[in-house]
Amino acid sequence: MPQPDPVPNSRHATMRRFWRIFRLLALLSIVIAAIAVVLVIRGDPGTHVHMMIATALGVGLSVLLGSALMTLSFLSSSRGHDDEAATRLRDEEKE
């Protein structure tokens, strides 16, 4: 007897969507960090390797953190969590 297809889990679909977006943004942060290192090297040819590593890590992780937080807020909004919070806030103001 054939088994019915399972109902897709919305949480699993959201996590897959987050990781797909996050992978693209991780690639973007690597590219931006590489551009920042190139700009630092062009600005001062006597730059030490420690400065290049610090620049790459600082810029890359900052862009990665910012993009991850924006992705989470985008996904939160698309799932309706923001509407639920706004409804509770309006209900509390009415009381």
Side-chain angles (χ1 to χ4, degrees), residues 38-93:
V38 168
L39 291 175
V40 167
I41 292 171
R42 283 184 57 196
D44 184 16
T47 305
H48 296 287
V49 70
H50 302 293
M51 180 66 175
M52 291 183 283
I53 292 171
T55 301
L57 287 175
V59 171
L61 291 176
S62 296
V63 171
L64 191 62
L65 177 65
S67 60
L69 291 174
M70 287 303 296
T71 301
L72 287 173
S73 66
F74 171 72
L75 291 176
S76 171
S77 174
S78 68
R79 289 200 61 190
H81 294 296
D82 296 342
D83 296 335
E84 181 181 320
T87 303
R88 284 185 189 168
L89 184 62
R90 274 189 246 124
D91 291 343
E92 288 176 3
E93 287 176 355

Side-chain angles (χ1 to χ4, degrees), residues 2-20:
Q3 297 290 330
D5 290 337
V7 176
N9 186 354
S10 66
R11 182 173 183 207
H12 181 66
T14 302
M15 287 303 293
R16 280 193 3 245
R17 186 176 176 195
F18 169 76
W19 284 111
R20 185 178 61 233

